[in-house]
Amino acid sequence: MHARVHARKHEFTSCLLLDRLSADASCRCIILSGRGSRFTEGIDLTFAMAHMAQQEGEDVARRAFKLKAFVEHLQDCVSSLERCSKPVIAAVRGGCVGAGVDLICACDIRLCTHDAWFTVKEIDLGLAADLGTLQRLPRVCGNESWVRELAYTARRFDAREAYERGLVSAIEPTAEAMRDGALKLASVIASKSPVAVCGTKAALNYSRDHSVEDGLVMQRIWNMAALQSEDVGIAAAAAAHMGGRGKTQPTAFSKL
């Protein structure tokens, strides 16, 4: 299934949708793209200030609890991409500003057009980025010095730099080529066993935040059930039929 999730200007609509797609047995892979010439425009200051404004006579502690709940909700919306059991491909065109970087860092795979550009913008607004960039981007790119430079300066970086630093895995010449590439990649993923794909995403996410030994223990427990899936036999039979010729026969796997 191909789903484009468009973040509206005044609200995050992705949270509930991603949770629905995660539970949808017909969904095998998701593509996240922006509407128009940019992936994201950046923060809506009117929207943000309305939530941060102090009411006359409001107790500081109670205001703090409201702000905490507000930020927690936005964090949960971004994390729904990572929490989703299905792989999510980010397709970035044009500007990817502020929360856009948060969003793509929570995705599994990132593609962009040659004219894409990125910025961790929050520090220019007197904020520390709080929706996941500071936590995920160092893990995605493996270069803390580079991430700190971006976070401290809010400078723009282009598609080539994003590719060289490992933020994106491919640069396409046009939006149409990126769309076609994302759809082709999603179709390949969707052709695989959904049991294996979802299990692989779960293992990668878990292992990123745990030791190798913890990850191996998790994998043993996971495969106690997964190895008993009918998909294992179906995939093995398809591979045997091809006779080791290096190609995979198209195989129809059941929905989850």
Side-chain angles (χ1 to χ4, degrees), residues 59-111:
D59 179 73
V60 64
R62 286 164 176 78
R63 180 172 177 242
F65 276 109
K66 290 179 182 178
L67 283 172
K68 175 178 177 291
F70 172 60
V71 174
E72 187 174 22
H73 169 66
L74 298 182
Q75 288 176 337
D76 187 60
C77 288
V78 173
S79 294
S80 68
L81 292 159
E82 186 175 80
R83 184 171 64 242
C84 180
S85 62
K86 317 300 168 54
V88 182
I89 301 170
V92 181
R93 175 188 182 189
C96 181
V97 183
V101 180
D102 296 303
L103 289 168
I104 66 172
C105 286
C107 293
D108 295 271
I109 300 168
R110 290 160 292 275
L111 312 176

Side-chain angles (χ1 to χ4, degrees), residues 120-144:
V120 182
K121 189 66 175 173
E122 285 83 354
I123 205 161
D124 277 351
L125 302 174
L127 305 170
D130 55 3
L131 302 187
T133 290
L134 302 183
Q135 291 70 38
R136 294 187 176 102
L137 187 56
R139 289 175 165 86
V140 168
C141 298
N143 188 328
E144 189 166 323

Side-chain angles (χ1 to χ4, degrees), residues 199 202-203 206-207 211-228:
Y206 184 89
S207 295
S211 69
V212 172
E213 183 56 35
D214 287 343
L216 290 171
V217 171
M218 177 268 191
Q219 201 65 49
R220 291 198 298 269
I221 295 171
W222 185 281
N223 275 2
M224 285 167 55
L227 287 175
Q228 300 181 64

Side-chain angles (χ1 to χ4, degrees), residues 106-227:
C107 293
D108 295 271
I109 300 168
R110 290 160 292 275
L111 312 176
C112 73
T113 55
H114 75 96
D115 61 346
W117 55 272
F118 309 78
T119 176
V120 182
K121 189 66 175 173
E122 285 83 354
I123 205 161
D124 277 351
L125 302 174
L127 305 170
D130 55 3
L131 302 187
T133 290
L134 302 183
Q135 291 70 38
R136 294 187 176 102
L137 187 56
R139 289 175 165 86
V140 168
C141 298
N143 188 328
E144 189 166 323
S145 176
W146 181 68
V147 172
R148 286 174 182 258
E149 177 205 337
L150 299 177
Y152 294 153
T153 65
R155 75 166 176 85
R156 291 188 183 190
F157 58 101
D158 61 16
R160 177 56 55 184
E161 186 173 358
Y163 177 78
E164 290 172 350
R165 298 295 185 178
L167 178 58
V168 300
S169 56
I171 302 173
E172 298 292 351
T174 65
E176 292 73 20
M178 180 180 65
R179 179 200 62 202
D180 293 344
L183 285 170
K184 182 177 180 179
L185 179 57
S187 296
V188 171
I189 294 171
S191 72
K192 308 299 183 182
S193 159
V195 174
V197 171
C198 292
T200 298
K201 177 168 181 173
L204 288 169
N205 285 348
Y206 184 89
S207 295
R208 179 197 61 194
D209 300 325
H210 295 80
S211 69
V212 172
E213 183 56 35
D214 287 343
L216 290 171
V217 171
M218 177 268 191
Q219 201 65 49
R220 291 198 298 269
I221 295 171
W222 185 281
N223 275 2
M224 285 167 55
L227 287 175

Side-chain angles (χ1 to χ4, degrees), residues 1 3-7 12-25 27 29-33 76-89 103 106-108 201:
M1 177 182 289
R4 281 192 175 90
V5 181
H6 298 287
F12 279 77
T13 58
S14 62
C15 188
L16 181 58
L17 176 57
L18 266 293
D19 288 342
R20 287 176 180 171
L21 291 174
S22 183
D24 187 344
C27 176
C29 189
I30 299 162
I31 297 174
L32 177 69
S33 64
D76 187 60
C77 288
V78 173
S79 294
S80 68
L81 292 159
E82 186 175 80
R83 184 171 64 242
C84 180
S85 62
K86 317 300 168 54
V88 182
I89 301 170
L103 289 168
C107 293
D108 295 271
K201 177 168 181 173

